[in-house]
Structure formats: structure tokens, C-alpha cells
Amino acid sequence: MSVSCALPVIITPDADVWEIDTNAYADCGHFVDWDQFPTKTGPLKTSHVEIPQSQKDLKKMARAGTWGENRALRAEAYNQIIKNINCRIFTPTATVYHNVSERLFGQNGLDDHPLPEFLDCCPMPMYCLNARGETAVKKILICIGDQYPDITYCPTLPAVVALLMHFSEDEAECFERTCRLISCTEPHRTYIEQSFLSYEASGMTFGDLAKKYCQAGHKLITTHCANSSEIFSDWLMWIFGDLPFEYIIRVFDIFLLEGNKVLYRVALALLKQYKLHTEYEDQDVKNDIQEFVKNISNHVCVEKLLEKAFSIRLFSHKEIWLLHMANKKALSQSGITVMQPRQPAHMSIDITQFSSEIVTAHEMRTVWSWIPERYSLYPPVLLFSTLQNGYSLQRFYSHCEGTEPTVLLIKTTENQVCGAYLSTDWNERKKCCGQVCTFFGTGECFVFSIRPDMERYEWVVVRKPEMVKTAPPSPRSRPRSYSYGARLSPTPRRRSSTMTSAPSSPSQSTNFLTVPAEGSPNRLSPFLSVRHFQLPSKTASMFMSGNSQGFIIGGGGGQALNIDADLNMGRTEHCETFDNPPLCEENFHIQHLEVWGCKNS
């Protein structure tokens, strides 16, 4: 697992450890109702504890749960970690809290002050705080609303304040710690989402990560839920609302050191466990997940859950941040605003009136769930159809140019269905010269089959990163003689046993596009643009290519799809770019071909 360099920098001059007098925090639990507390706490073990300055050692302690053995130790560790987070210059302090609290509550009391609007309809987990603690949490939230008028939506804030309240000496200290988390300026890190737009973008980001790291759970949600995006949007509340205290506090220990990356990890682990322990029987998936998380102790202990979470080789802080920003931009362009009141941000696409000659509405819903969510926000719109526009490659290009991304659907005369998601505008092909051109596209491209079997094949670098290191020749790859930058020499034509009118290899007939040279994609997706891949060969990035002879999707040892100039015949083989099997019969006749785009994208 990679360790990001964006962790908070904790500086302790002339010392390698923090020397902590835990007696100073011996009374930090006086806001807790111990009769309701689910776990027992041990006594103070020593009056003098040393915590290492090393980030690596700190993370080991947090992940191992060392602080859980001593409440006072955890309280001071929180204090030191939060104190050293880089914040805005004018972050409110404990002194500010005393002044604001006196101004707001000095004469009228708490009852005359409603909670801030950014908490409207948000859950208020109190984690066994007593009446005094609950009142303190509400006062702190009201004071935060007074000091941060730019916060418009923040459902996780009550849980954060309540957790910090457990380990604070007084309200002012808890307020100051919370404000430092809100005002964090660490690169590529956000502790607390503070607007509806940002909160919903995090839900989209989690959906994207689930699509890669928990495919079974993602498929269950997208297949059985009319509004799957609403479920993904609530992922943060699985942690800061549904997790029992003994679980969330362990997550919170690591969260303070490692930021929101740990939250994504834990939520993915929860989704994996949910899929493992549930048998779908038309239940309400949203409520079922919440109940599962609330009763997580019946399925997996906290140590095992964290072990599973950290076994996920997640993207770096920067890559997650880039993906979040791309999703945020997409939401903004679709009309979601910072100030928008709480409601489903992007209703599931209404395709009840969907009409296609190739796929059903249910099949299209599945395909749409595969594409990046920043595009699946928009309903599908038909760009090209052989039924309407004829079997013309030139019309295919003219109808698709100026639009990205696109979804290609092909139905064969044997009623098999396959296709591809293409991230880049077909206009890119015009940068090529003559009959030989380069591949273009990005790592977000993928190919798929729908009938007889529904399966998606992503870029091999994304699906199987271990193949990038060695990338031995595939046993299914056919030996070919590539001449990069030059036209392939024609080979003797062989008769196909299954379809006599189609060649056994695209290079054996001028009806098919010549295999082009490898190109350098310069517009990788947000979460791949900062990754430096050591590709196994030039063929690992052959995404899409086309000219007047036809078009190709995928390359290396064969092509995932190779369509002729008349949009009449095609061939599919295993290729190194997607490591896919043939998507249908290797040689096929095209019955219908359609291209779909994203409306307003």
C-alpha cells in the first residue's frame, strides 16, 4: 500500500517524541453517559506517555488501536495531531468560542437558537453522550454556523463534534479542534465536506471507486436499485451515522492522520462485507445496508474490518482528489449547486421510454451504470443508427464527431450483442495521415458483451495492474508481424468455416482497417492522469482508431472489435489492451449498429 506524502506535517523541535502528561486529560470523559457506553475502558496505565513523531510510527499506532487502551492518551494524541494540521490563518480558537457563546447564549439560552440550516434533516448521532454532552454538541454546532456562513451542507459534522466531545476537557477545546478540521488547507485533503455540491461529488467518487474495487457490490446496487446514485451518495453516513462507536472511533483515529482516504477504504470494505453476507430478495437495499452497518459486529470485528479496508490498494490522495474535482465539475454543469437543499442530486435516468433496435431498457441501464458517473448523470441520446442513417462509415463519423464520450452497440445477425465505451471524440482520427493512423483515446475506454453473456472488460492496466509489471505474451494472442507506421503486408486469404464472406483476420482484406501504430494518449482520465504506468508494450494503450477503411477498438495480438468500411462485417478477437475474449462469434455480420452519446455532455 502506498503512503501519500500529503499527510499532516507534525513538527516537534529538538525532539523525536511527544511527551504527554495524561493526567491533564484524566477527566476528558465527563460528557459521556457511562451507563450506556458499549465498551469498558481501562485505567490510566502511566502518568507519562511518549508518542513518536514519525508519521509511519504514528500510523502504525493508530491502525493498531494503541490509543484505545487509554482515553487520556487518545485525547492528547488527538490534540497534538489536530494542532499540527495546516489551517487557514483566521481559524476560530477556544477564545473565540467563549466570546461567541456568551454573545449567543448569555441571556436567551440554547432553546432560542435553532441548529444551522446546513444540518437540516441530518442525523445527530451522540454516541452515548450524557445530557450535558448533547447540549454542548448543539452549542458548538450553532457557534460553527455563526463563524462559518459559507458552510451550506454538512451532514457529517454532528458526528465529528460528538466524537471529539468524548475526548475534550470542555466545549471550547472541542470547538477549536473541529474548526481546525473544517479549515484544513492540506494539499488534496478534505476532512469535512461543507457543501451539497461537494458532498454529492464525494458520493459519485465513491461510486467510481466501488465500480473498480467492489464490482460485485456495485453491480448489486446498480442492478436492483432504481436510484443507485442516492445509495452511493450516503456512503459517508454509513461511517458517520451507522457504525457503532467502538468501530467509528477506531476509524476516526486513523482518519485524523490520513484524511478522507481511509473513509473510502472503510466504506468499500463495508460494501464488500454487505455483498458477502446478504442474499438479495427484493429488499430495500438502502435501508438494508444501513441496518447491516449498524449491526456490523454480528459479521466482522473492527480489527478484521480495518484489515480488509487496508488490503485495498486504493488510488493516492491526489488521484482521489482529481476524481472528486472532475465529478464536482460534472455536477455543477448539470445544474447541481453549492447552496442546493438536500434532495437526490441526480435522479436515476428515466429510460422507460427508451427505444433501441439492439438493447432493452434494462440492458441499457446496466451499460449506463458502467460508464463514469460524471457522464451517466445525463440521459442517453441516439447519435447514429444504421436503421435510420444507413450503413455508411462516413455518416457514422459525421454523426459522432464533436461528441465524447460515446457508447457503441452492435447486434449481429446471430442476435449476439456487444459494444464499447469510447472516451474520445472520433475527430481525433483526423490527426492521422493516409491509410495508416495512430490509436487515440484514454484508459477509461472499455469493451463489453451483452448477449449471450453480460460482461465488461476494462483497460488491462486498470483491471490487472500486476500484468503491467511482467506482461508475458498472452497464450491467446496470435503471432503477428507489426510494422509500426507502415501498412501491414497482405497475407493469403483463408476461408472462414463459420462465415465465408468475412476474412479470418482483418489484415487479410482491404475491407478492414489496417492495424495502426501505437499512439500516446494525452488526455487520461482524472484518476489515471497522474499515474506513471510502465506499459508492457506499445499495444497496452491501443484504445480506438479509425480512417476511411473502418475502425478498430483495442489492439495487440488482435483487435477487440474491427469493423469494415461498409459497417457490414466485423471481427472480434482477444487483444492485449483489454485482455478480453472474443466479444461474440469471431467473424460476424452486422444486423444493427448504434452509437449513443450523453445528452448535454
Side-chain angles (χ1 to χ4, degrees), residues 313 460-472:
R313 297 176 61 86
V460 65
V461 175
V462 176
R463 288 177 57 221
K464 300 179 180 180
E466 68 276 4
M467 294 184 66
V468 179
K469 301 176 183 178
T470 55

Side-chain angles (χ1 to χ4, degrees), residues 37 186 207 213 270 278 296 336 347 362 381 395 420 587 601:
F37 206 71
E186 299 283 348
Y213 294 103
L270 288 170
T278 191
I296 189 66
I336 304 302
M347 300 298 292
H362 178 75
V381 57
R395 291 178 189 169
N587 299 298
S601 63

Side-chain angles (χ1 to χ4, degrees), residues 356-369:
S356 168
E357 295 296 323
I358 297 179
V359 294
T360 66
H362 178 75
E363 288 169 336
M364 192 59 167
R365 179 179 283 118
T366 301
V367 171
W368 221 243
S369 74

Side-chain angles (χ1 to χ4, degrees), residues 44-176:
L44 293 177
K45 295 185 176 180
T46 60
S47 59
H48 183 80
V49 180
E50 293 183 348
I51 296 182
Q53 179 189 1
S54 164
Q55 294 295 310
K56 184 176 180 180
D57 291 340
L58 277 171
K59 288 203 298 183
K60 283 183 178 179
M61 290 182 70
R63 293 186 182 187
T66 304
W67 302 335
E69 300 175 1
N70 189 319
R71 287 185 58 84
L73 175 60
R74 178 180 264 146
E76 180 58 21
Y78 282 10
N79 183 55
Q80 296 292 346
I81 293 170
I82 296 174
K83 184 190 299 182
N84 286 279
I85 292 175
N86 292 327
C87 298
R88 304 173 197 167
I89 296 175
F90 298 107
T91 299
T93 63
T95 301
V96 172
Y97 178 78
H98 288 302
N99 296 334
V100 174
S101 180
E102 176 63 26
R103 171 168 56 85
L104 293 177
F105 312 118
Q107 296 179 347
N108 299 326
L110 180 63
D111 293 338
D112 294 329
H113 296 275
L115 290 173
E117 290 186 5
F118 62 73
L119 297 176
D120 186 33
C121 298
C122 294
M124 297 282 292
M126 289 298 175
Y127 303 114
C128 300
L129 292 178
N130 55 29
R132 180 186 175 192
E134 291 185 11
T135 299
V137 168
K138 293 176 182 177
K139 289 175 64 177
I140 292 170
L141 291 172
I142 293 170
C143 290
I144 289 175
D146 179 83
Q147 292 294 297
Y148 290 88
D150 54 327
I151 297 180
T152 57
Y153 186 70
C154 195
T156 62
L157 190 59
V160 171
V161 175
L163 290 170
L164 290 175
M165 201 76 249
H166 273 259
F167 304 96
S168 299
E169 286 190 288
D170 54 38
E171 299 169 18
E173 182 178 65
C174 183
F175 170 83
E176 180 173 323

